[in-house]
Amino acid sequence: MAAVLCYEGRLSLYCFLGGMASLLVFYGAELFLHEESIWTKVALSVGFYISLNIIIRIRYDPRDYQEQYKSFGIYAILMALFHYTEYLGIAICNPKTLSPDSFILNHSIHYGLAAAASWIEYFVETHYFPEIKTYKLVWIMGVLLCVAGESLRKVAMITASKNFSHIVQFERHNEHELVTHGVYGWMRHPSYVGWFYWSIGTQITLANPICFVIYAIASWKFFHDRILMEEITLLNFFGEEYIEYQERVPSGLPYIRGFRVEP
């Protein structure tokens, strides 16, 4: 019997293709018009997003429905929201560094492989064990964790303002300041904390037990190494001021102390 892609599967595919087409049109229009206004870029992106959803709403009947695929649709929304708000966050807090890379869709090969692995696990388990994907409480917990993690990350980005960048800075500029207020008074790396819990929240949303464990370990290792590298530069930038900050405020992630200067 030939496999037929379910409603949610078709919908997510069309959203993905439509989103890619929108980005191509968006950047093509930007290059053609030489548009420099950040808010015009944001408005264009929002316009494409709204238009795409209107088309989807008119074209598809939400009564066509398969419960076990619902969590994947929610996951797709979480992924789209995360990457778009990464761009929007940079547009708000540090527009001088804004570029297509601000979507961080091209974060790394490992990031893409991790996402692909989660999709493979999801659809394999949906085929053989569909009942484990239908527990509403599980994906609700995942969504709540994702929303909390992403909210923390975006608050951290806006709080850091022009000091925030997706790329670790190895050279101090005149405008660089050590941010210790707001969420940075609770933890030294709130943007990484938010991203860490968002990443494992996506696997709870998908009810992926294997990738949940893999994501937790891989994300912890990534942020452990990233924080170590970043704190070396921060100590070079701010010296004793940063050492005192380290003593007062934890990193925010379990069992990650960061780089410490030996007495």
Side-chain angles (χ1 to χ4, degrees):
M1 180 178 178
V4 178
L5 192 61
C6 70
Y7 165 73
E8 284 80 7
R10 295 197 309 273
L11 187 60
S12 65
L13 178 61
Y14 294 142
C15 285
F16 174 79
L17 295 176
M20 293 301 100
S22 296
L23 287 175
L24 290 174
V25 173
F26 168 55
Y27 287 115
E30 179 188 354
L31 291 173
F32 178 74
L33 298 172
H34 301 288
E35 181 56 62
E36 298 296 334
S37 168
I38 295 302
W39 293 110
T40 300
K41 294 177 182 180
V42 172
L44 284 170
S45 294
V46 173
F48 281 124
Y49 175 78
I50 293 174
S51 300
L52 179 63
N53 278 274
I54 290 174
I55 293 170
I56 291 170
R57 181 65 183 87
I58 293 172
R59 175 65 181 82
Y60 293 103
D61 186 350
R63 289 174 296 181
D64 295 334
Y65 180 73
Q66 291 190 33
E67 183 67 28
Q68 67 265 35
Y69 292 103
K70 185 174 185 179
S71 58
F72 193 84
I74 294 168
Y75 160 83
I77 292 171
L78 293 170
M79 288 288 286
L81 182 64
F82 175 81
H83 287 286
Y84 175 67
T85 55
E86 285 294 302
Y87 182 91
L88 184 61
I90 293 294
I92 293 171
C93 71
N94 197 359
K96 289 183 179 180
T97 65
L98 190 68
S99 74
D101 290 340
S102 299
F103 285 105
I104 61 170
L105 288 168
N106 57 344
H107 180 267
S108 67
I109 294 176
H110 298 93
Y111 185 81
L113 291 174
S118 72
W119 305 338
I120 292 170
E121 180 184 353
Y122 179 86
F123 286 109
V124 168
E125 291 175 351
T126 298
H127 180 75
Y128 290 104
F129 314 104
E131 65 280 357
I132 72 172
K133 304 299 183 182
T134 60
Y135 295 122
K136 187 174 182 180
L137 182 60
V138 173
W139 63 254
I140 288 177
M141 289 172 59
V143 169
L144 291 176
L145 187 58
C146 284
V147 170
E150 181 164 351
S151 298
L152 175 60
R153 178 168 171 82
K154 296 315 183 282
V155 168
M157 291 172 66
I158 294 171
T159 302
S161 187
K162 62 181 180 297
N163 297 285
F164 184 89
S165 173
H166 282 137
I167 301 173
V168 176
Q169 303 297 301
F170 295 101
E171 181 178 348
R172 184 178 180 181
H173 301 291
N174 292 332
E175 65 271 17
H176 278 168
E177 300 174 353
L178 179 60
V179 181
T180 60
H181 63 277
V183 289
Y184 288 87
W186 306 340
M187 57 195 79
R188 298 198 305 274
H189 301 279
S191 66
Y192 294 158
V193 174
W195 197 351
F196 173 80
Y197 287 109
W198 174 86
S199 70
I200 61 176
T202 61
Q203 299 313 297
I204 297 175
T205 301
L206 292 175
N208 280 353
I210 297 172
C211 278
F212 170 77
V213 174
I214 294 173
Y215 269 52
I217 296 172
S219 296
W220 185 92
K221 180 65 167 60
F222 171 78
F223 289 118
H224 174 273
D225 296 346
R226 176 90 172 207
I227 288 172
L228 193 68
M229 177 175 61
E230 184 171 305
E231 291 204 337
I232 291 173
T233 65
L234 290 169
L235 284 163
N236 288 331
F237 288 175
F238 302 107
E240 190 65 33
E241 184 182 3
Y242 194 76
I243 294 175
E244 293 176 359
Y245 179 51
Q246 284 181 311
E247 294 299 323
R248 296 196 317 269
V249 180
S251 71
L253 286 169
Y255 305 106
I256 295 181
R257 297 179 67 247
F259 184 84
R260 298 292 179 134
V261 177
E262 294 296 332

